[in-house]
Amino acid sequence: MLIKDWMKQDGVSVNTDSTVKEARRLMEVCHTRTLPVLKKGKLVGVVTDRDLKRAAPSDATTLSRHEIAYLQEKIAVKDVMTKDPVTLAPTDTVEQAAMLFLEKKISGAPVMDDKGRLMGTITQDELFKVLITLTGAWHRGIQFGFLLDDRPGSIKEVADIIRDYDGRILSILSSMEKAPWKSRFVYIRIRPMDKNLLQPLLDELRKVATILYVLDQTEGSRLTLGADVDAEPAEVV
Protein backbone atom coordinates (compact mmCIF):
# COMPACT_ATOMS: atom_id res chain seq x y z
CA MET A 1 0.00 0.00 0.00
CA LEU A 2 1.68 3.14 -1.21
CA ILE A 3 1.53 6.45 0.60
CA LYS A 4 0.46 8.27 -2.56
CA ASP A 5 -2.87 6.41 -2.43
CA TRP A 6 -3.63 7.46 1.16
CA MET A 7 -1.92 10.79 1.83
CA LYS A 8 -3.63 14.16 2.01
CA GLN A 9 -3.01 15.95 -1.27
CA ASP A 10 -4.57 19.30 -0.38
CA GLY A 11 -1.23 21.14 -0.52
CA VAL A 12 -2.00 22.94 2.74
CA SER A 13 1.08 24.54 4.31
CA VAL A 14 2.27 27.66 6.11
CA ASN A 15 5.36 29.78 5.66
CA THR A 16 7.96 30.64 8.26
CA ASP A 17 6.50 34.08 8.91
CA SER A 18 2.95 32.85 9.44
CA THR A 19 1.72 33.40 12.98
CA VAL A 20 0.76 30.76 15.49
CA LYS A 21 -2.80 32.07 15.33
CA GLU A 22 -2.89 31.63 11.54
CA ALA A 23 -1.50 28.10 11.79
CA ARG A 24 -4.06 27.14 14.42
CA ARG A 25 -6.93 28.49 12.32
CA LEU A 26 -5.67 26.60 9.25
CA MET A 27 -5.48 23.35 11.22
CA GLU A 28 -9.06 23.79 12.38
CA VAL A 29 -10.38 24.60 8.91
CA CYS A 30 -8.47 21.77 7.19
CA HIS A 31 -8.97 19.21 9.97
CA THR A 32 -5.28 18.42 10.29
CA ARG A 33 -2.74 18.32 13.09
CA THR A 34 0.40 18.65 10.99
CA LEU A 35 1.38 21.49 8.65
CA PRO A 36 4.49 21.63 6.45
CA VAL A 37 6.40 24.90 6.80
CA LEU A 38 7.81 26.41 3.60
CA LYS A 39 10.28 29.18 2.87
CA LYS A 40 10.38 30.35 -0.73
CA GLY A 41 8.69 27.10 -1.74
CA LYS A 42 11.24 24.91 0.05
CA LEU A 43 10.37 22.68 3.00
CA VAL A 44 12.17 23.88 6.14
CA GLY A 45 10.07 22.39 8.93
CA VAL A 46 6.76 21.13 10.24
CA VAL A 47 4.47 22.50 12.91
CA THR A 48 1.99 20.34 14.80
CA ASP A 49 -0.92 21.03 17.09
CA ARG A 50 1.38 19.97 19.94
CA ASP A 51 3.89 22.67 18.96
CA LEU A 52 1.11 25.26 19.01
CA LYS A 53 -0.09 24.11 22.42
CA ARG A 54 3.43 24.45 23.81
CA ALA A 55 3.57 28.00 22.44
CA ALA A 56 0.31 28.95 24.15
CA PRO A 57 0.19 30.28 27.73
CA SER A 58 -0.66 27.69 30.36
CA ASP A 59 -4.10 27.44 31.93
CA ALA A 60 -2.64 29.07 35.04
CA THR A 61 -1.73 32.29 33.21
CA THR A 62 -3.02 35.62 34.50
CA LEU A 63 -3.16 37.03 30.96
CA SER A 64 -6.51 38.08 29.61
CA ARG A 65 -8.06 36.51 26.52
CA HIS A 66 -7.17 39.58 24.46
CA GLU A 67 -3.56 39.50 25.68
CA ILE A 68 -3.27 35.82 24.75
CA ALA A 69 -4.68 36.54 21.26
CA TYR A 70 -2.21 39.41 20.87
CA LEU A 71 0.74 37.15 21.78
CA GLN A 72 -0.37 34.48 19.31
CA GLU A 73 -0.43 37.10 16.58
CA LYS A 74 3.18 37.99 17.37
CA ILE A 75 4.69 34.50 17.61
CA ALA A 76 5.87 33.23 14.22
CA VAL A 77 5.67 29.61 13.13
CA LYS A 78 9.45 29.57 12.60
CA ASP A 79 9.88 30.03 16.36
CA VAL A 80 7.93 26.90 17.31
CA MET A 81 8.33 24.56 14.32
CA THR A 82 10.45 21.43 14.11
CA LYS A 83 13.33 22.07 11.72
CA ASP A 84 14.70 19.56 9.19
CA PRO A 85 11.68 17.26 9.51
CA VAL A 86 11.46 13.60 8.66
CA THR A 87 9.92 13.15 5.21
CA LEU A 88 8.49 10.30 3.17
CA ALA A 89 8.16 9.62 -0.55
CA PRO A 90 4.88 8.91 -2.41
CA THR A 91 6.22 5.46 -3.27
CA ASP A 92 7.03 4.56 0.32
CA THR A 93 4.48 2.26 1.95
CA VAL A 94 2.06 3.08 4.74
CA GLU A 95 3.75 0.32 6.74
CA GLN A 96 7.03 2.22 6.46
CA ALA A 97 5.25 5.36 7.62
CA ALA A 98 3.80 3.57 10.65
CA MET A 99 7.19 2.16 11.67
CA LEU A 100 8.82 5.56 11.20
CA PHE A 101 6.18 7.28 13.33
CA LEU A 102 6.78 4.78 16.13
CA GLU A 103 10.56 5.01 15.86
CA LYS A 104 10.68 8.82 15.76
CA LYS A 105 7.66 9.31 18.06
CA ILE A 106 5.97 11.62 15.57
CA SER A 107 2.35 11.86 14.39
CA GLY A 108 2.84 12.89 10.76
CA ALA A 109 5.28 13.75 8.01
CA PRO A 110 5.41 15.71 4.74
CA VAL A 111 5.45 13.68 1.53
CA MET A 112 8.08 14.87 -0.97
CA ASP A 113 8.81 13.80 -4.53
CA ASP A 114 12.33 13.09 -5.84
CA LYS A 115 12.70 16.76 -6.84
CA GLY A 116 12.03 18.02 -3.34
CA ARG A 117 8.52 19.25 -4.08
CA LEU A 118 5.80 18.98 -1.45
CA MET A 119 3.18 16.46 -2.56
CA GLY A 120 1.09 16.21 0.59
CA THR A 121 1.16 14.91 4.14
CA ILE A 122 0.63 11.55 5.81
CA THR A 123 -0.48 11.44 9.45
CA GLN A 124 -1.77 9.01 12.05
CA ASP A 125 -5.29 9.80 10.88
CA GLU A 126 -4.55 8.33 7.45
CA LEU A 127 -2.96 5.26 9.03
CA PHE A 128 -6.10 4.72 11.10
CA LYS A 129 -8.16 4.93 7.90
CA VAL A 130 -5.92 2.29 6.32
CA LEU A 131 -6.47 -0.05 9.28
CA ILE A 132 -10.23 0.46 9.24
CA THR A 133 -10.38 -0.09 5.48
CA LEU A 134 -8.27 -3.26 5.53
CA THR A 135 -10.26 -4.81 8.35
CA GLY A 136 -13.62 -3.87 6.83
CA ALA A 137 -14.62 -2.32 10.18
CA TRP A 138 -16.82 0.29 8.49
CA HIS A 139 -19.13 -2.57 7.50
CA ARG A 140 -19.32 -3.85 11.11
CA GLY A 141 -20.56 -7.42 10.50
CA ILE A 142 -19.07 -10.37 12.38
CA GLN A 143 -15.40 -10.97 13.15
CA PHE A 144 -13.85 -14.32 14.05
CA GLY A 145 -10.51 -14.73 15.78
CA PHE A 146 -8.77 -18.06 15.13
CA LEU A 147 -5.62 -19.86 16.13
CA LEU A 148 -4.61 -22.03 13.17
CA ASP A 149 -1.79 -24.39 12.34
CA ASP A 150 0.88 -22.67 10.28
CA ARG A 151 0.64 -24.96 7.26
CA PRO A 152 -0.42 -24.53 3.65
CA GLY A 153 -4.20 -24.48 3.23
CA SER A 154 -5.19 -23.88 6.87
CA ILE A 155 -6.66 -20.44 6.14
CA LYS A 156 -8.43 -21.72 3.03
CA GLU A 157 -10.11 -24.49 5.04
CA VAL A 158 -11.67 -21.95 7.41
CA ALA A 159 -12.62 -19.55 4.61
CA ASP A 160 -14.27 -22.34 2.60
CA ILE A 161 -16.39 -23.40 5.58
CA ILE A 162 -17.56 -19.82 6.09
CA ARG A 163 -18.49 -19.56 2.42
CA ASP A 164 -20.37 -22.89 2.62
CA TYR A 165 -22.64 -21.22 5.18
CA ASP A 166 -23.22 -18.24 2.87
CA GLY A 167 -20.74 -16.08 4.74
CA ARG A 168 -19.49 -13.17 2.61
CA ILE A 169 -15.91 -12.42 3.62
CA LEU A 170 -14.88 -8.77 3.96
CA SER A 171 -11.30 -9.21 5.14
CA ILE A 172 -8.72 -11.77 6.22
CA LEU A 173 -5.76 -10.74 8.36
CA SER A 174 -3.03 -13.05 9.62
CA SER A 175 -0.07 -12.72 11.97
CA MET A 176 2.49 -15.04 13.58
CA GLU A 177 3.46 -12.37 16.15
CA LYS A 178 3.11 -13.86 19.67
CA ALA A 179 1.48 -17.00 18.25
CA PRO A 180 2.48 -20.43 19.62
CA TRP A 181 5.11 -22.43 17.76
CA LYS A 182 3.97 -23.54 14.30
CA SER A 183 0.71 -21.59 14.65
CA ARG A 184 -0.71 -18.30 13.48
CA PHE A 185 -3.50 -15.94 14.44
CA VAL A 186 -6.11 -15.33 11.75
CA TYR A 187 -8.89 -12.74 11.87
CA ILE A 188 -11.79 -12.96 9.41
CA ARG A 189 -14.60 -10.42 9.11
CA ILE A 190 -17.80 -11.27 7.25
CA ARG A 191 -20.95 -9.36 6.36
CA PRO A 192 -24.03 -9.86 8.57
CA MET A 193 -25.51 -13.31 8.05
CA ASP A 194 -28.50 -15.40 9.07
CA LYS A 195 -28.27 -15.80 12.86
CA ASN A 196 -29.74 -19.29 12.60
CA LEU A 197 -26.64 -20.39 10.68
CA LEU A 198 -24.10 -19.02 13.12
CA GLN A 199 -24.08 -21.82 15.68
CA PRO A 200 -23.89 -24.59 13.04
CA LEU A 201 -21.08 -22.58 11.42
CA LEU A 202 -19.17 -22.43 14.71
CA ASP A 203 -19.62 -26.16 15.24
CA GLU A 204 -18.15 -26.83 11.81
CA LEU A 205 -15.28 -24.37 12.29
CA ARG A 206 -14.24 -26.04 15.55
CA LYS A 207 -13.42 -29.19 13.61
CA VAL A 208 -10.48 -27.45 11.90
CA ALA A 209 -9.62 -24.44 14.08
CA THR A 210 -9.40 -23.06 17.59
CA ILE A 211 -11.90 -20.22 17.92
CA LEU A 212 -10.49 -17.41 20.07
CA TYR A 213 -13.52 -15.15 19.92
CA VAL A 214 -16.54 -14.10 17.89
CA LEU A 215 -17.44 -10.42 17.73
CA ASP A 216 -20.91 -9.66 16.39
CA GLN A 217 -21.17 -5.97 15.51
CA THR A 218 -24.33 -6.15 13.42
CA GLU A 219 -26.43 -4.76 16.29
CA GLY A 220 -23.79 -3.04 18.36
CA SER A 221 -20.35 -4.05 19.59
CA ARG A 222 -20.69 -7.18 21.72
CA LEU A 223 -17.80 -9.52 22.41
CA THR A 224 -18.26 -13.17 23.27
CA LEU A 225 -15.11 -15.11 24.02
CA GLY A 226 -14.87 -18.37 22.16
CA ALA A 227 -12.39 -19.71 24.73
CA ASP A 228 -11.87 -22.96 22.83
CA VAL A 229 -8.42 -23.02 24.41
CA ASP A 230 -10.16 -23.44 27.80
CA ALA A 231 -12.54 -26.09 26.48
CA GLU A 232 -15.56 -23.81 26.75
CA PRO A 233 -18.07 -23.38 23.91
CA ALA A 234 -18.16 -20.24 21.82
CA GLU A 235 -21.49 -18.48 21.62
CA VAL A 236 -22.75 -15.56 19.61
CA VAL A 237 -25.32 -13.24 21.17
Side-chain angles (χ1 to χ4, degrees):
M1 297 169 291
L2 301 182
I3 286 176
K4 67 182 181 68
D5 298 321
W6 296 93
M7 68 182 186
K8 291 180 180 177
Q9 303 183 56
D10 49 24
V12 175
S13 63
V14 292
N15 60 58
T16 52
D17 294 325
S18 298
T19 66
V20 165
K21 184 176 181 179
E22 291 170 336
R24 185 182 301 280
R25 186 183 300 117
L26 191 58
M27 285 185 183
E28 292 173 353
V29 170
C30 298
H31 305 290
T32 185
R33 287 175 252 175
T34 301
L35 289 173
V37 183
L38 305 181
K39 183 176 183 179
K40 296 181 180 179
K42 181 181 179 182
L43 180 73
V44 294
V46 294
V47 63
T48 67
D49 59 342
R50 187 177 301 176
D51 296 326
L52 300 185
K53 289 174 183 176
R54 282 198 295 260
S58 71
D59 293 337
T61 184
T62 59
L63 296 174
S64 69
R65 183 171 55 186
H66 297 295
E67 288 172 325
I68 292 174
Y70 175 78
L71 285 176
Q72 290 185 336
E73 289 177 349
K74 294 300 180 182
I75 301 175
V77 166
K78 64 184 177 185
D79 297 323
V80 300
M81 71 180 187
T82 298
K83 298 178 181 178
D84 301 319
V86 172
T87 63
L88 290 158
T91 52
D92 288 333
T93 65
V94 292
E95 300 97 312
Q96 288 175 293
M99 291 188 293
L100 186 66
F101 290 0
L102 286 174
E103 177 188 347
K104 301 294 184 180
K105 294 181 172 58
I106 57 177
S107 59
V111 181
M112 312 291 291
D113 67 10
D114 54 6
K115 295 181 180 179
R117 294 176 299 192
L118 178 67
M119 304 298 292
T121 56
I122 183 83
T123 69
Q124 289 178 341
D125 290 346
E126 283 69 58
L127 299 188
F128 292 151
K129 290 176 183 177
V130 171
L131 177 62
I132 291 170
T133 301
L134 289 182
T135 60
W138 289 126
H139 301 280
R140 303 183 72 83
I142 303 169
Q143 186 184 63
F144 302 88
F146 298 104
L147 179 65
L148 302 183
D149 294 335
D150 182 30
R151 57 174 174 78
S154 62
I155 296 177
K156 182 178 183 298
E157 285 179 352
V158 170
D160 285 346
I161 291 173
I162 291 173
R163 293 189 183 98
D164 287 343
Y165 282 80
D166 294 328
R168 298 174 61 193
I169 294 176
L170 290 167
S171 67
I172 300 177
L173 301 177
S174 175
S175 173
M176 297 178 66
E177 191 75 20
K178 298 184 179 180
W181 176 248
K182 293 186 178 180
S183 300
R184 65 170 55 244
F185 295 117
V186 175
Y187 308 95
I188 298 179
R189 185 182 296 273
I190 67 173
R191 293 186 181 276
M193 64 177 294
D194 186 345
K195 293 292 181 68
N196 295 323
L197 294 177
L198 278 178
Q199 196 58 52
L201 170 60
L202 290 174
D203 293 339
E204 194 68 25
L205 288 170
R206 278 198 198 89
K207 296 178 182 179
V208 298
T210 297
I211 302 175
L212 301 176
Y213 67 83
V214 181
L215 177 58
D216 186 352
Q217 293 183 305
T218 56
E219 298 177 1
S221 180
R222 292 179 290 177
L223 176 63
T224 299
L225 295 178
D228 279 3
V229 291
D230 295 325
E232 298 177 6
E235 297 180 357
V236 181
V237 296

